[in-house]
Amino acid sequence: MAPLEELTEAWHEARRDRAFRHELAGLLETYCGRPTPISFAARLTKHLGGAGVYLKREDLCHTGAHKINNALGQCLLARRMGKARVIAETGAGQHGVAVATAAALLGLRCRVYMGTEDERRQALNVYRMKLLGAEVVGVEAGARTLKDAINESLRDWVTNVATTHYVLGSVLGPHPYPAMVREFQSVIGSEALLQIRKQHRSLPKLVVACVGGGSNAAGIFTAFVPYRQVELVGVEAGGRGTRLGEHAARFAGGEPGVLHGTRSYVLQDQDGLVAQTHSVSAGLDYPAVGPEHAWWHDTRRVAYVRVDDSEAVDAFHLLSELEGIVPALETAHAIAYVARVAPRMGSGQAILVSLSGRGDKDVAEVARLEGVTL
Amino acid sequence: MSGRIERAFARARKARRAAFIPYITAGDPDPGRTVALARALERGGADILELGVPFTDPIADGATNQRAAERALAAGTTLTTVLETVRSFRLTSDLPLVLFTYFNPVHAYGLARFSVDAASAGVDGVLFTDVPVDEAGPAHEALRRVGIELVLLVAPTSTRARVKAVRRLAGSFVYFVARSGVTGARTTLEEGLEEQVRLVRKLTKTRVAVGFGVSTPDQVTRIAQFADGVVVGSVLVERIAELGDAPELPGAIEALARSFALATRRK
Ligand SMILES: Cc1ncc(COP(=O)(O)O)c(C=O)c1O
């Protein structure tokens, strides 16, 4: 608890400090390449034959995903707190790469925990992290995915808290993480709101994002939540079936529970044991979801839907072929939902999608799934 | 408050000892053997038994207890079977029993229903590894109604304000984490432990048991000079892992427990 109290206090101080905000904004601009644009997806729109589709291009951030927004914010905070070492969990490897990058930039030591199943399917990112000077530690427990990496990170943190800050990668875990990570990611929505108004000349009818822990979704939704006329949809991983263990659709199959210091929807059995999950995308393969998403779900501000593995892989190809953008498999879930609903919407309406990351990391795994040897 | 826990501390004190509090994971190596192991610990000199409820995501535990939880879960252990184990142990024993659990299994079981069933099974105390004191009000209340005490953790990093909050909810003892981090055997003891224990006792106005990392009789003796109780877990769990299904398991655990129980004497 003491580490959380220390962190909460440090974060509250930092966010009130102009110098801190200024430094972060400067790095986001000159190091990450923000603001990222929104692109009108002309050929995808034509192909779907309905609403116009706009892509918020987080794939163009340095390191290739939205994760860097949060990683930079928290690493600056770590330095401010006098912590010379940062640790992180990672699923898809994007958050791990982002933290390793920020740590290299700021001269912090970095260790990343990653389930060994994720190390296998995101091997490119494992090597990238090592190139960036981080130590990558494989976690053998459980399903050997994101949840297990978080367990190990929490254990490291409580053991080494005097020297170490834990850079949690999504809107998960105990307070202040969900609020802090959302704030670092809210730059996505703040930019997108201005951009879509300028390019489309009105608000979108629908905003769509994939939901693993929920950080890119929270980042883009937050700006639009006050506009009741804008529908918000979060897309979860439907995996390969509807039985417990075959998917990561917390809102379809989960019950309220407590995992990693947060009360939210959790995939679990009747004895309160946390279920294993499956998704083709490592970044969505997690049995709980950020608590604010649970709130948005219960108050019906955001609708949560599921997209299964094969639909996501189809969308991975679709966006690559029609727009010249290879999306991350996580992001492909959001694209798949857009492909489902855009044809039913009017051509004057706009859909804004969070293009949370690029898919280079997934190329080898998709090839393997399709029987292609590289 | 639970009479059994109070009496156990009083008895140990009278005998000029710290209370010996062994920990094992319920259901390890399988639910059928836990009662025999609990009896072995009692014969070996346990004053209070701490029984871990295995969980899929034991974030407060080191590798030894993680493996134990995996074995117990693989053998079909659930909170329901743990309560059955307690019930059958209670038929023949009056040893005070504290459940050491993560919150989610209790949440899924239903806090109120769990409290009633735990009390009727014969549980005396419950420690939630992942419920901080400021969130512990409802659990404290549900347990208090059925006469079970809440056992709270205090860490070396706990602020004074937090330790004082613990005092409002604590029962006959608090559990002081000898070293920040997770459970698991360690060879060295934290410096300044004695002063910390005295401070915690003063601030919480209750007894202090020390655990997390205590692994040799020698450490037990040193801690016993200033603490009210000493918790020994991972070494016992390691021995259970080594012996597994072997018939000599209860005998070996009893002997190991005795070596620790004898070490609780005050000089
Ligand atoms: C590109 C991309 N999108 C989405 C996610 C899912 O995380 P979140 O729901 O926190 O945005 C990840 C996680 O690794 C990711 O790499």
Side-chain angles (χ1 to χ4, degrees), chain A residues 264-346:
Chain A
S264 184
Y265 284 82
V266 179
L267 289 165
Q268 55 184 312
D269 68 11
Q270 74 274 14
D271 295 307
L273 300 171
V274 178
Q276 300 209 338
T277 50
H278 165 81
S279 168
V280 69
S281 94
L284 305 185
D285 201 351
Y286 179 72
V289 62
E292 192 162 21
H293 288 285
W295 167 253
W296 283 332
H297 171 265
D298 289 1
T299 56
R300 301 178 182 224
R301 181 61 191 96
V302 180
Y304 294 86
V305 299
R306 53 194 292 168
V307 156
D308 66 25
D309 285 354
S310 63
E311 250 184 305
V313 173
D314 289 348
F316 179 84
H317 287 292
L318 187 71
L319 195 72
S320 303
E321 286 164 28
L322 292 181
E323 296 295 335
I325 298 171
V326 180
L329 278 173
E330 291 77 16
T331 315
H333 286 71
I335 302 294
Y337 178 73
V338 170
R340 232 192 253 170
V341 297
R344 291 188 244 133
M345 293 169 59

XYZ file of all heavy atoms in Angstrom, chain A residues 264-346:
641
model
N -13.574 -5.243 -10.869
C -14.095 -5.028 -12.217
C -14.717 -6.326 -12.700
O -14.934 -7.250 -11.912
C -12.955 -4.597 -13.144
O -13.455 -4.298 -14.431
N -15.009 -6.408 -14.002
C -15.477 -7.679 -14.546
C -14.277 -8.595 -14.746
O -13.264 -8.178 -15.319
C -16.211 -7.454 -15.875
C -17.592 -6.886 -15.663
C -17.781 -5.521 -15.457
C -18.706 -7.710 -15.624
C -19.045 -4.992 -15.231
C -19.973 -7.199 -15.401
C -20.138 -5.839 -15.204
O -21.381 -5.326 -14.976
N -14.423 -9.832 -14.274
C -13.317 -10.790 -14.337
C -13.847 -12.118 -14.868
O -14.907 -12.591 -14.431
C -12.709 -11.025 -12.926
C -11.566 -12.036 -12.987
C -12.211 -9.718 -12.307
N -13.123 -12.709 -15.798
C -13.461 -14.058 -16.254
C -12.993 -15.032 -15.189
O -11.803 -15.107 -14.886
C -12.801 -14.344 -17.602
C -13.422 -13.573 -18.770
C -12.509 -13.624 -19.988
C -14.808 -14.113 -19.111
N -13.937 -15.758 -14.597
C -13.606 -16.632 -13.470
C -14.616 -17.764 -13.399
O -15.683 -17.692 -14.001
C -13.647 -15.810 -12.176
C -14.973 -15.078 -11.960
C -14.967 -14.180 -10.729
O -14.566 -14.588 -9.661
N -15.420 -12.936 -10.897
N -14.270 -18.807 -12.638
C -15.227 -19.900 -12.459
C -16.075 -19.647 -11.224
O -15.933 -18.609 -10.559
C -14.508 -21.259 -12.432
C -13.637 -21.427 -11.196
O -13.728 -20.613 -10.245
O -12.843 -22.386 -11.175
N -16.959 -20.593 -10.879
C -17.884 -20.338 -9.762
C -17.171 -20.312 -8.424
O -17.726 -19.835 -7.439
C -19.053 -21.344 -9.769
C -18.712 -22.746 -9.327
C -18.167 -23.609 -10.483
O -17.803 -23.119 -11.556
N -18.112 -24.911 -10.257
N -15.935 -20.798 -8.368
C -15.170 -20.759 -7.120
C -14.314 -19.503 -6.986
O -13.508 -19.400 -6.068
C -14.269 -21.996 -7.018
C -15.096 -23.275 -6.907
O -15.968 -23.328 -6.020
O -14.891 -24.189 -7.711
N -14.455 -18.576 -7.929
C -13.668 -17.351 -7.839
C -12.231 -17.525 -8.294
O -11.373 -16.687 -8.010
N -11.959 -18.630 -8.986
C -10.616 -18.821 -9.546
C -10.605 -18.184 -10.927
O -11.554 -18.328 -11.697
C -10.291 -20.316 -9.611
C -10.308 -20.999 -8.233
C -10.189 -22.506 -8.364
C -9.189 -20.444 -7.347
N -9.537 -17.464 -11.211
C -9.485 -16.688 -12.440
C -9.269 -17.628 -13.629
O -8.423 -18.521 -13.592
C -8.373 -15.627 -12.351
C -8.271 -14.841 -13.641
C -8.652 -14.688 -11.176
N -10.063 -17.412 -14.660
C -10.032 -18.317 -15.809
C -8.855 -18.003 -16.721
O -8.333 -16.893 -16.734
C -11.336 -18.196 -16.589
N -8.456 -18.988 -17.484
C -7.485 -18.726 -18.540
C -8.251 -18.110 -19.704
O -9.468 -18.225 -19.797
C -6.806 -20.023 -18.931
C -6.080 -20.611 -17.717
C -4.877 -21.440 -18.059
O -4.745 -21.939 -19.159
N -3.996 -21.608 -17.101
N -7.519 -17.409 -20.544
C -8.168 -16.726 -21.663
C -7.463 -17.126 -22.941
O -6.354 -17.658 -22.914
C -8.052 -15.196 -21.500
O -6.682 -14.866 -21.237
C -8.916 -14.693 -20.364
N -8.107 -16.842 -24.043
C -7.445 -17.041 -25.323
C -7.802 -15.913 -26.269
O -8.958 -15.506 -26.368
C -7.844 -18.362 -25.976
C -7.459 -18.381 -27.429
N -6.173 -18.660 -27.830
C -8.152 -18.042 -28.539
C -6.109 -18.513 -29.151
N -7.291 -18.150 -29.596
N -6.806 -15.412 -26.969
C -7.041 -14.548 -28.111
C -5.853 -14.680 -29.038
O -4.726 -14.903 -28.585
C -7.188 -13.086 -27.687
O -7.147 -12.260 -28.843
N -6.120 -14.533 -30.322
C -5.028 -14.521 -31.288
C -4.106 -13.337 -31.023
O -2.931 -13.351 -31.373
C -5.598 -14.498 -32.731
C -6.282 -13.153 -33.016
C -4.536 -14.781 -33.778
N -4.647 -12.313 -30.368
C -3.821 -11.134 -30.107
C -3.419 -11.081 -28.635
O -4.265 -11.080 -27.739
C -4.572 -9.867 -30.510
O -5.239 -9.311 -29.425
N -2.126 -11.066 -28.398
C -1.589 -11.123 -27.037
C -2.042 -9.934 -26.189
O -2.232 -10.054 -24.988
C -0.065 -11.182 -27.084
N -2.251 -8.787 -26.818
C -2.581 -7.582 -26.057
C -4.018 -7.544 -25.562
O -4.371 -6.705 -24.751
N -4.860 -8.433 -26.064
C -6.254 -8.474 -25.596
C -6.500 -9.687 -24.710
O -7.605 -9.892 -24.217
C -7.230 -8.520 -26.792
C -7.106 -7.416 -27.841
C -8.219 -7.539 -28.877
C -7.146 -6.024 -27.211
N -5.463 -10.480 -24.497
C -5.587 -11.791 -23.867
C -5.460 -11.665 -22.348
O -4.462 -12.052 -21.759
C -4.453 -12.665 -24.441
C -4.725 -14.145 -24.303
O -5.695 -14.508 -23.629
O -3.950 -14.929 -24.877
N -6.474 -11.104 -21.702
C -6.388 -10.800 -20.268
C -7.780 -10.967 -19.644
O -8.771 -10.538 -20.243
C -5.877 -9.356 -20.106
C -5.762 -8.876 -18.681
C -4.760 -9.350 -17.846
C -6.667 -7.944 -18.168
C -4.671 -8.917 -16.531
C -6.575 -7.500 -16.854
C -5.574 -7.983 -16.042
O -5.480 -7.549 -14.742
N -7.872 -11.578 -18.454
C -9.192 -11.942 -17.918
C -9.963 -10.824 -17.214
O -11.110 -11.031 -16.836
C -8.864 -13.057 -16.918
C -7.466 -12.774 -16.490
C -6.776 -12.177 -17.673
N -9.357 -9.660 -17.021
C -10.106 -8.567 -16.397
C -10.024 -7.346 -17.304
O -9.340 -7.371 -18.323
C -9.541 -8.236 -15.019
N -10.720 -6.292 -16.929
C -10.766 -5.092 -17.752
C -10.723 -3.885 -16.833
O -11.129 -3.985 -15.670
C -12.034 -5.129 -18.647
C -13.307 -5.141 -17.801
C -12.054 -4.002 -19.665
N -10.218 -2.781 -17.326
C -10.095 -1.586 -16.494
C -11.417 -1.215 -15.829
O -12.475 -1.331 -16.438
N -11.346 -0.767 -14.563
C -12.574 -0.511 -13.800
C -13.461 0.582 -14.400
O -14.682 0.540 -14.252
C -12.051 -0.106 -12.415
C -10.626 0.289 -12.628
C -10.129 -0.536 -13.768
N -12.852 1.539 -15.101
C -13.696 2.591 -15.674
C -14.554 2.036 -16.817
O -15.680 2.493 -17.046
C -12.842 3.762 -16.165
C -13.694 4.980 -16.480
C -12.891 6.256 -16.540
O -11.657 6.184 -16.738
O -13.497 7.334 -16.387
N -14.023 1.033 -17.509
C -14.835 0.387 -18.539
C -16.033 -0.322 -17.913
O -17.128 -0.326 -18.479
C -13.993 -0.587 -19.365
C -13.042 0.114 -20.292
N -13.464 0.724 -21.451
C -11.716 0.336 -20.216
C -12.418 1.278 -22.057
N -11.343 1.062 -21.321
N -15.816 -0.921 -16.744
C -16.933 -1.569 -16.040
C -18.012 -0.528 -15.723
O -19.210 -0.777 -15.872
C -16.436 -2.239 -14.766
N -17.557 0.644 -15.326
C -18.486 1.742 -15.021
C -19.230 2.187 -16.279
O -20.455 2.330 -16.290
C -17.690 2.891 -14.390
C -18.426 4.188 -14.299
C -18.216 5.308 -15.044
C -19.498 4.500 -13.403
N -19.083 6.292 -14.679
C -19.886 5.836 -13.673
C -20.170 3.790 -12.404
C -20.921 6.469 -12.979
C -21.198 4.423 -11.713
C -21.563 5.742 -11.999
N -18.478 2.392 -17.365
C -19.115 2.805 -18.628
C -20.090 1.729 -19.122
O -21.127 2.026 -19.697
C -18.040 3.066 -19.705
C -17.334 4.375 -19.535
C -17.823 5.518 -18.958
C -15.999 4.695 -19.964
N -16.876 6.513 -18.995
C -15.746 6.038 -19.613
C -14.993 3.971 -20.608
C -14.549 6.688 -19.889
C -13.789 4.603 -20.892
C -13.565 5.945 -20.531
N -19.748 0.473 -18.879
C -20.629 -0.624 -19.266
C -21.909 -0.585 -18.435
O -23.017 -0.624 -18.978
C -19.908 -1.957 -19.057
C -20.792 -3.153 -19.210
N -21.408 -3.766 -18.147
C -21.182 -3.837 -20.320
C -22.131 -4.787 -18.597
N -22.012 -4.854 -19.903
N -21.774 -0.477 -17.127
C -22.941 -0.536 -16.257
C -23.843 0.679 -16.427
O -25.048 0.584 -16.244
C -22.508 -0.668 -14.786
C -21.930 -2.041 -14.488
O -21.848 -2.871 -15.424
O -21.546 -2.295 -13.324
N -23.241 1.828 -16.770
C -24.055 3.025 -16.981
C -24.475 3.126 -18.454
O -25.100 4.099 -18.853
C -23.274 4.301 -16.607
O -22.048 4.329 -17.365
C -22.925 4.323 -15.123
N -24.101 2.160 -19.222
C -24.449 2.056 -20.654
C -23.919 3.195 -21.514
O -24.467 3.481 -22.579
C -25.964 1.974 -20.836
C -26.504 0.772 -20.105
C -27.990 0.690 -20.239
N -28.417 -0.471 -19.472
C -29.294 -1.351 -19.903
N -29.830 -1.210 -21.094
N -29.640 -2.362 -19.148
N -22.868 3.853 -21.060
C -22.304 4.896 -21.902
C -21.519 4.286 -23.054
O -21.432 4.863 -24.127
C -21.401 5.837 -21.068
C -20.794 6.980 -21.877
C -21.884 7.875 -22.470
N -21.414 8.840 -23.455
C -21.451 8.654 -24.775
N -21.902 7.515 -25.290
N -21.045 9.603 -25.604
N -20.911 3.141 -22.810
C -20.149 2.462 -23.861
C -20.749 1.070 -24.042
O -21.087 0.408 -23.056
C -18.656 2.332 -23.480
C -17.864 1.613 -24.580
C -18.040 3.703 -23.197
N -20.890 0.648 -25.303
C -21.332 -0.725 -25.570
C -20.097 -1.571 -25.845
O -19.145 -1.098 -26.471
C -22.272 -0.749 -26.765
N -20.090 -2.790 -25.346
C -18.940 -3.678 -25.562
C -19.381 -4.874 -26.399
O -20.421 -5.480 -26.117
C -18.342 -4.113 -24.218
C -17.755 -2.914 -23.499
C -18.550 -2.101 -22.693
C -16.429 -2.537 -23.697
C -18.040 -0.957 -22.084
C -15.899 -1.405 -23.089
C -16.711 -0.613 -22.284
O -16.203 0.512 -21.696
N -18.624 -5.135 -27.431
C -18.957 -6.220 -28.351
C -17.740 -7.118 -28.482
O -16.641 -6.773 -28.042
C -19.333 -5.664 -29.744
C -20.551 -4.754 -29.660
C -18.154 -4.923 -30.373
N -17.930 -8.283 -29.100
C -16.798 -9.186 -29.269
C -16.574 -9.503 -30.736
O -17.513 -9.557 -31.525
C -17.024 -10.468 -28.467
C -18.345 -11.137 -28.766
C -18.678 -12.190 -27.743
N -17.760 -13.312 -27.863
C -17.670 -14.277 -26.945
N -18.407 -14.241 -25.869
N -16.848 -15.274 -27.128
N -15.298 -9.694 -31.049
C -14.906 -10.062 -32.412
C -13.984 -11.268 -32.256
O -13.086 -11.251 -31.407
C -14.174 -8.880 -33.082
C -13.256 -9.344 -34.194
C -15.185 -7.854 -33.600
N -14.230 -12.326 -33.028
C -13.419 -13.521 -32.801
C -12.122 -13.503 -33.616
O -11.896 -12.617 -34.449
C -14.231 -14.802 -32.973
C -14.707 -15.004 -34.397
O -14.061 -14.469 -35.326
O -15.721 -15.698 -34.584
N -11.285 -14.501 -33.341
C -9.950 -14.571 -33.954
C -10.003 -14.457 -35.481
O -9.251 -13.691 -36.084
C -9.276 -15.918 -33.612
C -8.764 -15.978 -32.178
O -8.824 -14.950 -31.478
O -8.300 -17.070 -31.769
N -10.892 -15.225 -36.102
C -10.835 -15.293 -37.561
C -11.310 -13.987 -38.194
O -10.753 -13.529 -39.194
C -11.611 -16.501 -38.085
O -12.966 -16.360 -37.760
N -12.332 -13.369 -37.574
C -12.782 -12.060 -38.067
C -11.652 -11.029 -37.961
O -11.481 -10.172 -38.835
C -13.924 -11.566 -37.183
C -15.292 -11.533 -37.806
C -16.294 -10.915 -36.824
O -16.410 -11.406 -35.678
O -16.949 -9.931 -37.210
N -10.903 -11.111 -36.874
C -9.808 -10.157 -36.657
C -8.711 -10.366 -37.703
O -8.177 -9.391 -38.254
C -9.237 -10.303 -35.245
N -8.395 -11.621 -37.982
C -7.353 -11.885 -38.983
C -7.827 -11.416 -40.371
O -7.052 -10.829 -41.140
C -6.936 -13.378 -38.977
C -5.988 -13.685 -40.134
C -6.282 -13.733 -37.643
N -9.113 -11.616 -40.680
C -9.651 -11.099 -41.949
C -9.481 -9.581 -42.029
O -9.095 -9.042 -43.071
C -11.145 -11.437 -42.087
C -11.380 -12.928 -42.332
O -10.393 -13.642 -42.620
O -12.538 -13.374 -42.200
N -9.785 -8.903 -40.935
C -9.689 -7.439 -40.923
C -8.235 -6.981 -41.034
O -7.946 -5.920 -41.606
C -10.318 -6.879 -39.644
N -7.320 -7.780 -40.489
C -5.876 -7.520 -40.598
C -5.500 -7.439 -42.091
O -4.832 -6.510 -42.538
C -5.158 -8.674 -39.890
C -3.650 -8.649 -39.895
C -2.942 -7.921 -38.956
C -2.936 -9.408 -40.824
C -1.551 -7.941 -38.933
C -1.541 -9.431 -40.809
C -0.848 -8.693 -39.859
N -6.013 -8.402 -42.872
C -5.745 -8.401 -44.317
C -6.461 -7.253 -45.019
O -5.906 -6.596 -45.893
C -6.208 -9.725 -44.930
C -5.315 -10.876 -44.586
N -4.032 -10.983 -45.067
C -5.514 -11.960 -43.796
C -3.480 -12.095 -44.592
N -4.356 -12.703 -43.808
N -7.718 -7.040 -44.626
C -8.539 -6.032 -45.294
C -7.895 -4.648 -45.231
O -7.752 -3.962 -46.249
C -9.922 -6.005 -44.626
C -10.992 -5.137 -45.290
C -11.434 -5.780 -46.611
C -12.203 -4.973 -44.360
N -7.480 -4.259 -44.043
C -6.904 -2.918 -43.901
C -5.556 -2.838 -44.622
O -5.228 -1.812 -45.224
C -6.746 -2.544 -42.420
C -6.503 -1.050 -42.200
C -7.776 -0.245 -42.457
C -5.997 -0.754 -40.794
N -4.808 -3.927 -44.568
C -3.512 -3.943 -45.254
C -3.709 -3.725 -46.754
O -3.031 -2.897 -47.368
C -2.804 -5.286 -45.032
O -2.650 -5.530 -43.653
N -4.666 -4.456 -47.321
C -4.843 -4.407 -48.781
C -5.526 -3.139 -49.254
O -5.201 -2.615 -50.326
C -5.633 -5.638 -49.241
C -4.773 -6.898 -49.194
C -5.610 -8.176 -49.254
O -6.710 -8.147 -49.827
O -5.135 -9.188 -48.691
N -6.479 -2.618 -48.478
C -7.234 -1.464 -48.953
C -6.616 -0.123 -48.580
O -6.863 0.880 -49.242
C -8.669 -1.510 -48.422
C -9.536 -2.634 -48.989
C -10.940 -2.555 -48.397
C -9.613 -2.546 -50.515
N -5.848 -0.102 -47.490
C -5.335 1.196 -47.045
C -3.820 1.244 -46.951
O -3.257 2.278 -46.596
C -5.947 1.571 -45.683
C -7.457 1.773 -45.715
C -7.894 2.974 -46.572
O -7.089 3.913 -46.754
O -9.042 2.958 -47.059
N -3.174 0.122 -47.180
C -1.723 0.123 -47.044
C -1.276 0.312 -45.612
O -0.201 0.840 -45.332
N -2.112 -0.129 -44.683
C -1.760 -0.045 -43.261
C -1.919 -1.441 -42.669
O -3.024 -1.982 -42.652
C -2.692 0.925 -42.500
C -2.574 2.349 -43.060
C -2.371 0.914 -41.002
C -3.619 3.312 -42.518
N -0.804 -2.016 -42.223
C -0.878 -3.317 -41.549
C -1.135 -3.041 -40.067
O -0.269 -2.522 -39.377
C 0.441 -4.104 -41.719
C 0.353 -5.462 -41.017
C 0.770 -4.286 -43.205
N -2.347 -3.354 -39.587
C -2.654 -3.018 -38.193
C -2.169 -4.105 -37.244
O -1.985 -5.254 -37.646
C -4.187 -2.982 -38.178
C -4.578 -4.035 -39.164
C -3.498 -4.023 -40.241
N -1.994 -3.751 -35.979
C -1.748 -4.766 -34.951
C -2.973 -5.677 -34.884
O -4.093 -5.250 -35.186
C -1.528 -4.093 -33.594
N -2.792 -6.918 -34.467
C -3.946 -7.827 -34.343
C -4.956 -7.311 -33.324
O -6.152 -7.536 -33.460
C -3.483 -9.239 -33.965
C -2.995 -10.104 -35.137
C -2.415 -11.413 -34.616
C -4.113 -10.376 -36.146
N -4.474 -6.616 -32.290
C -5.391 -6.003 -31.324
C -6.314 -5.045 -32.073
O -7.544 -5.128 -32.009
C -4.608 -5.230 -30.244
C -3.808 -6.097 -29.278
C -2.514 -6.638 -29.888
O -2.081 -6.109 -30.930
O -1.947 -7.602 -29.333
N -5.676 -4.112 -32.803
C -6.403 -3.095 -33.553
C -7.343 -3.722 -34.577
O -8.434 -3.196 -34.846
C -5.390 -2.199 -34.289
O -4.338 -1.856 -33.387
C -6.053 -0.951 -34.811
N -6.922 -4.838 -35.167
C -7.729 -5.494 -36.195
C -9.110 -5.875 -35.655
O -10.087 -5.939 -36.413
C -6.998 -6.736 -36.725
N -9.209 -6.103 -34.343
C -10.525 -6.386 -33.753
C -11.461 -5.185 -33.931
O -12.647 -5.359 -34.200
C -10.396 -6.735 -32.266
C -9.844 -8.110 -32.011
N -8.532 -8.440 -32.240
C -10.440 -9.243 -31.561
C -8.340 -9.716 -31.931
N -9.480 -10.224 -31.524
N -10.924 -3.993 -33.746
C -11.748 -2.788 -33.909
C -12.140 -2.610 -35.373
O -13.284 -2.263 -35.695
C -10.987 -1.559 -33.391
N -11.185 -2.854 -36.263
C -11.471 -2.737 -37.700
C -12.567 -3.731 -38.105
O -13.474 -3.413 -38.887
C -10.186 -3.012 -38.540
C -9.060 -2.047 -38.148
C -10.483 -2.944 -40.036
C -9.315 -0.596 -38.462
N -12.498 -4.956 -37.571
C -13.494 -5.973 -37.909
C -14.892 -5.513 -37.510
O -15.865 -5.726 -38.242
C -13.157 -7.292 -37.213
N -14.996 -4.863 -36.362
C -16.321 -4.375 -35.948
C -16.801 -3.271 -36.892
O -17.977 -3.232 -37.269
C -16.293 -3.876 -34.501
C -17.624 -3.329 -34.073
C -18.694 -4.186 -33.826
C -17.838 -1.949 -33.966
C -19.949 -3.692 -33.475
C -19.078 -1.450 -33.615
C -20.127 -2.333 -33.372
O -21.368 -1.838 -33.035
N -15.888 -2.412 -37.296
C -16.250 -1.355 -38.248
C -16.769 -1.980 -39.544
O -17.791 -1.548 -40.102
C -15.031 -0.437 -38.533
C -15.314 0.503 -39.695
C -14.676 0.353 -37.278
N -16.091 -3.031 -39.989
C -16.522 -3.691 -41.225
C -17.924 -4.279 -41.069
O -18.692 -4.356 -42.025
C -15.525 -4.793 -41.600
N -18.271 -4.646 -39.849
C -19.602 -5.199 -39.594
C -20.687 -4.131 -39.661
O -21.755 -4.358 -40.206
C -19.595 -5.785 -38.176
C -20.067 -7.209 -38.059
C -20.272 -7.504 -36.582
N -19.248 -8.357 -36.033
C -19.115 -8.583 -34.705
N -19.911 -7.984 -33.821
N -18.182 -9.378 -34.262
N -20.402 -2.954 -39.070
C -21.489 -1.972 -38.911
C -21.503 -0.855 -39.942
O -22.567 -0.277 -40.201
C -21.509 -1.334 -37.502
C -21.770 -2.397 -36.441
C -20.228 -0.575 -37.213
N -20.368 -0.540 -40.545
C -20.340 0.605 -41.466
C -21.348 0.460 -42.614
O -22.014 1.447 -42.959
C -18.923 0.816 -42.011
N -21.503 -0.739 -43.216
C -22.444 -0.861 -44.335
C -23.886 -0.530 -43.952
O -24.679 -0.140 -44.799
C -22.343 -2.346 -44.740
C -21.021 -2.813 -44.218
C -20.783 -2.006 -42.976
N -24.207 -0.662 -42.657
C -25.580 -0.388 -42.210
C -25.786 1.080 -41.857
O -26.878 1.478 -41.471
C -25.890 -1.237 -40.962
C -25.993 -2.716 -41.256
C -26.496 -3.432 -40.011
N -25.486 -4.348 -39.497
C -25.119 -4.443 -38.219
N -25.646 -3.639 -37.312
N -24.222 -5.314 -37.840
N -24.737 1.888 -41.986
C -24.863 3.301 -41.603
C -24.904 4.189 -42.844
O -24.470 3.801 -43.920
C -23.690 3.703 -40.695
C -23.734 2.994 -39.340
S -22.222 3.193 -38.358
C -22.132 4.971 -38.183
N -25.430 5.409 -42.638
C -25.572 6.335 -43.761
C -24.230 6.892 -44.222
O -23.293 7.002 -43.426
